[in-house]
Amino acid sequence: MKHLTVLHHPLVLRDLTVLRDKRTPSHIFRAVLRRMATLMAYEVTRDLRMTRVRISTPLERTSGVRVAQPVVLVPVLRAGLGLVGGFIEVLPDARVGHIGLYRNEETLKPVDYYFKVPRNIAGTLVVILDPMLATGGSGVAAVSYLKNRGAKNIRFVSLVAAPEGVRALRRAHPDVPVFTCALDRQLNARGYILPGLGDAGDRIFGTE
Ligand code: PRP
Ligand code: URA
């Protein structure tokens, strides 16, 4: 699998434009982010392991498929919560873990404050959800934590990524594929993605 997949779908790009627009209020931001998450889930699960099943339609017997691979979604608090609803909609059997991290505004290093993920995740597809991959510090820490808990098959889903963050994640965890809707230009001096969409947590929760 490729290390970086950028989703160039027209509907994804249309929605991303709404999220980037600073005039978009929180309630629209949340709804559009949720819709984008369902579109991203399709791409992230493209090679999901399935098994054949036999069923009967009202007319005759036929075969179909069901998901054979357990999935755990792990939003990185807070902003990752904005992606959970859309993923759960198309993966209703997925379990959900949580990782609490925030960036120290001075050092830009991640500070951890909460971890809760299901046990026995070695044979599970673990999908980390965090809209912003900026310096990569939070992403690297989230993947390291999940590997320590036994995860072997991890994917990282972001909405907007900076080249610096993609490089940091690739260096630390070359086995983890990254999915994003946009590879933006660069970080500014305060570690914000340009052009980006601002502080994702603040925009989702209206805490600016
Ligand atoms: C944001 C975002 C990522 C992190 C990315 O979280 O959701 O977790 O920044 O930055 P990095 O790649 O440089 O680590 P933030 O620290 O703002 O916390 P919040 O979601 O609680 O607002
Ligand atoms: N976190 C955000 O929410 N936005 C950025 O641009 C960078 C980190």
Side-chain angles (χ1 to χ4, degrees), residues 11-203:
L11 300 180
V12 168
L13 298 178
R14 173 205 60 193
D15 280 351
L16 181 59
T17 305
V18 176
L19 298 190
R20 287 193 194 276
D21 190 333
K22 67 178 184 184
R23 296 169 305 178
T24 301
S26 285
H27 69 283
I28 306 281
F29 193 97
R30 282 195 291 269
V32 172
L33 182 58
R34 183 189 171 102
R35 182 166 68 210
M36 287 185 82
T38 62
L39 300 174
M40 294 169 80
Y42 278 111
E43 191 59 41
V44 174
T45 55
R46 193 173 278 286
D47 59 351
L48 202 59
R49 212 169 55 240
M50 310 297 284
T51 32
R52 259 191 195 287
V53 290
R54 294 288 294 169
I55 52 148
S56 299
T57 75
L59 300 173
E60 63 178 25
R61 296 279 290 165
T62 187
S63 63
V65 292
R66 67 172 169 76
V67 175
Q69 192 172 13
V71 178
V72 169
L73 305 173
V74 184
V76 176
L77 308 179
R78 290 174 302 165
L81 291 174
L83 295 168
V84 176
F87 269 78
I88 278 283
E89 198 151 307
V90 289
L91 291 166
D93 295 328
R95 293 177 295 163
V96 183
H98 294 86
I99 295 183
L101 292 172
Y102 69 87
R103 288 198 313 181
N104 176 303
E105 285 182 9
E106 304 296 319
T107 64
L108 299 183
K109 299 282 178 237
V111 180
D112 59 89
Y113 60 90
Y114 188 74
F115 290 116
K116 185 79 180 177
V117 295
R119 287 181 218 279
N120 306 325
I121 52 175
T124 300
L125 173 62
V126 177
V127 182
I128 299 176
L129 305 175
D130 190 337
M132 309 310 278
L133 177 58
T135 65
S138 306
V140 169
V143 173
S144 298
Y145 170 73
L146 290 164
K147 284 185 173 175
N148 283 337
R149 295 294 304 263
K152 304 215 174 324
N153 184 3
I154 303 175
R155 294 180 184 185
F156 190 94
V157 174
S158 71
L159 194 66
V160 179
E164 293 89 331
V166 172
R167 277 198 296 271
L169 208 47
R170 182 186 293 146
R171 211 176 304 120
H173 300 294
D175 56 314
V176 173
V178 176
F179 295 80
T180 192
C181 297
L183 184 58
D184 273 9
R185 197 175 71 246
Q186 66 184 96
L187 297 177
N188 71 10
R190 293 173 48 230
Y192 278 83
I193 301 175
L194 298 174
L197 48 75
D199 186 305
D202 284 346
R203 297 208 57 200

